[in-house]
């Protein structure tokens, strides 16, 4: 006879936290959200990689490209660049994150000296930047011949057909900086010469970057940014259980700091084989997470197979229809609670703490706090990040409101068959995800700051200032469906719904 669980599985919205004693020390500004990303001997050593905020972005085409990865690393979290693309383009995205120097911007507007004033104005209209690099071949890294800013022309006195060569500030009059200039040195030059922008050039006078005056305080704005020992942003990358022997070396060569096997279901021989290959070839030097699982057995299997962290969650993602198409999955809260207990049990047995990641299904900001309280070390979010400026997808106007596109890796649009691979012929036979829109929400920084402030405030209500203390001291209660109604605004007529998130 089949096994039946005695209790139904539950999700985040069915739980609430009970406040604990809040002391004077317990204020949001003193809360640390630092958390381990990879396994370590807790109590004996520090983890090789920790996050400064417990957020990672989903391994998805519509979420994690290099732009989002840079924005999230600035806040202290990490992105896993999606693997459902060619090895070359994924490695190039990783390399762009590692090559990114805060404050050093690749020129977005570029023309040749033969271009006209009309071209300058069209470019400004198109991308909004007023600094145009004039290079020999009109590319962002061509030989620098001059710069055009709005100080170089007067529309009322000039003809649209005037040549850039005749009104640009020529190379001879430009102050530039050499290739190895640090941000601090660049800012000193900017101040000394009262510049708005400083071109950085290589030995052959090819343009590498601009440093803009306004960017000078980048580090001060991002005190939690996640950097490696060479002060480059940390970045992760998704892999699959088919082409890992070629994909992993390319990703590592590009500079990936941590990998994750991206799969809808991780309790498989394929994940075990992939992890073994990594350990055989790289020992413990390569950090790799695995998943997803929803119970104790799944966790123990992956921990023993050598995973550096384990992702939890099947069927809870906002774009996910796995439960409907295949009838597999488990309420995210129940899955997390069981896997967290398995992680603690495994730690007691082995002395090794394998962090767990709650993946999918975070809808409200308070779900983040609940997931952490239930034992998650960090979270993975797709829908949440897809809404921001930095996500890779189009912003479109629908019924008068801005939306961003968001599609699942198991949808026909992504065609990421490797994620659902169970061996055999390699193709996506049926969809496990949808193609959708999410409400546009502006810049990542503002949203992450607001969400995490809520998390910190709730932690103060619980009476804790660290994630490990939250996991240890939180008191959680299941709520009845009637008390869920009681928890929302009720028995009043709302004047506005804008403050309900
Ligand atoms: P969200 O944060 O609720 O949007 O969930 C994101 C998570 O959903 C991802 O990290 C994946 O684990 C999962 N996911 C991504 N694409 C699909 C899909 O097409 N079907 C099912 N699950 C998906």
């Amino acid at each position: 006879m089949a096994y039946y669980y005695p209790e139904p599985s539950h999700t985040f919205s069915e739980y609430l936290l009970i406040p604990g004693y809040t002391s004077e020390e317990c204020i949001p500004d003193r809360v640390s959200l630092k958390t381990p990303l990879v396994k370590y001997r807790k109590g004996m050593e520090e983890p090789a990689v920790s996050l400064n905020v417990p957020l990672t972005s989903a391994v998805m085409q519509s979420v994690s490209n290099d732009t989002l990865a840079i924005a999230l690393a600035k806040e202290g979290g990490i992105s896993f660049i999606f693997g459902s693309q060619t090895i070359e383009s994924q490695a190039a995205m990783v390399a762009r994150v590692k090559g990114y120097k805060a404050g050093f911007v690749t020129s977005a507007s570029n023309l040749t000296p033969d271009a006209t004033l009309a071209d300058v104005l069209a470019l400004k209209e198109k991308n909004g930047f007023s600094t145009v690099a004039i290079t020999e071949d009109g590319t962002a890294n061509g030989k620098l011949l001059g710069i055009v800013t709005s100080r170089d022309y007067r529309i009322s006195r000039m003809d649209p057909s005037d040549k850039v060569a005749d009104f640009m500030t020529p190379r001879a009059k430009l102050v530039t900086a050499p290739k190895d200039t640090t941000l601090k040195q660049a800012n000193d030059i900017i101040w000394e010469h009262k510049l708005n922008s400083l071109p950085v050039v290589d030995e052959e006078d090819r343009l590498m970057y601009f440093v803009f005056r306004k960017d000078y305080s980048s580090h001060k704005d991002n005190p939690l940014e996640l950097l490696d020992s060479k002060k480059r942003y940390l970045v992760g990358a998704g892999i699959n259980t088919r082409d890992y022997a070629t994909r992993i070396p390319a990703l590592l060569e590009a500079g990936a700091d941590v990998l994750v096997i991206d799969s809808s279901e991780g309790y498989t021989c394929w994940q075990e084989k992939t992890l073994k290959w990594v350990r055989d070839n790289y020992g413990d030097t390569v950090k790799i997470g695995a998943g997803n699982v929803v119970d104790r057995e799944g966790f123990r299997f992956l921990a023993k197979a050598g995973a550096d962290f384990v992702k939890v969650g099947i069927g809870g993602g906002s774009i996910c229809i796995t439960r409907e198409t295949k009838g597999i999955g488990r309420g995210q809260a129940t899955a997390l609670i069981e896997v967290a207990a398995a992680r603690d049990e495994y730690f007691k047995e082995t002395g090794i703490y394998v962090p767990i990641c709650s993946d999918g299904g975070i809808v409200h900001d308070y779900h983040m706090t609940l997931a952490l309280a239930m034992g998650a070390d960090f979270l993975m979010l797709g829908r949440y990040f897809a809404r921001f400026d930095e996500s890779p997808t189009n912003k479109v106007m629908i019924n008068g409101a801005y939306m961003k596109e968001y599609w699942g890796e198991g949808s026909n649009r992504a065609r990421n068959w490797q994620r659902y691979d169970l061996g055999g012929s390699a193709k996506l036979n049926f969809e496990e995800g949808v193609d959708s829109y999410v409400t546009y929400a502006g810049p990542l920084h503002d949203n992450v700051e607001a969400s995490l402030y809520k998390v910190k405030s709730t932690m103060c209500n619980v009476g804790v200032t660290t994630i490990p203390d939250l996991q240890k001291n939180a008191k959680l209660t299941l709520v009845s469906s009637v008390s869920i109604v009681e928890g929302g605004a009720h028995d009043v007529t709302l004047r506005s719904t804008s403050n309900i998130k």
Side-chain angles (χ1 to χ4, degrees), residues 57-60 262-264 292 311 313 315-322 359-363 380-384 406-411 419-420 432-434:
S57 68
V59 200
M60 297 174 71
D262 175 37
S263 170
S264 65
N292 287 7
K311 282 205 294 132
S318 57
I319 32 48
C320 178
I321 51 171
T322 296
D359 178 14
I362 299 281
V363 179
M380 178 170 272
L381 307 98
R383 189 198 61 87
Y384 178 80
Y406 179 44
W407 61 92
E409 287 296 294
S411 68
R419 186 168 194 276
Y420 303 90
E432 291 195 38
V434 297

Side-chain angles (χ1 to χ4, degrees), residues 158-174:
M158 287 168 61
D159 195 277
S161 63
D162 285 356
K163 287 261 183 277
V164 160
D166 299 329
F167 63 87
M168 69 182 184
T169 303
R171 172 71 184 90
K173 289 200 182 153
L174 291 176

Side-chain angles (χ1 to χ4, degrees), residues 336-357:
L336 199 52
I337 293 165
E338 182 172 318
V339 174
R343 174 205 54 204
D344 294 345
E345 173 191 280
Y346 189 78
F347 170 62
K348 275 203 192 97
E349 277 168 35
T350 63
I352 298 172
Y353 186 89
V354 181
I356 59 173
C357 167

Side-chain angles (χ1 to χ4, degrees), residues 24 42 44 47 84 126-127 159 194 214 240 260 270 297 320 322 347 350 386 390 396 466 473 499:
E24 272 175 28
K42 195 159 113 180
M44 316 270 284
S84 51
K126 185 172 153 222
N127 61 23
D159 195 277
K194 300 190 174 166
K214 62 177 167 18
N240 62 69
V260 66
W270 315 113
E297 282 75 27
C320 178
T322 296
F347 170 62
T350 63
E390 294 84 350
V396 288
T466 67
N473 299 341
N499 54 353

Side-chain angles (χ1 to χ4, degrees), residues 35-41 46-51 257-259 287-289 307-309 353-355 378:
T35 192
L37 180 68
V38 295
K39 71 180 175 202
Y40 69 114
R41 291 180 184 280
E46 287 298 307
V49 191
S50 292
L51 302 176
D257 297 284
V258 46
L259 307 172
K287 305 297 174 197
I288 177 164
D308 281 294
F309 62 86
Y353 186 89
V354 181
F378 57 95

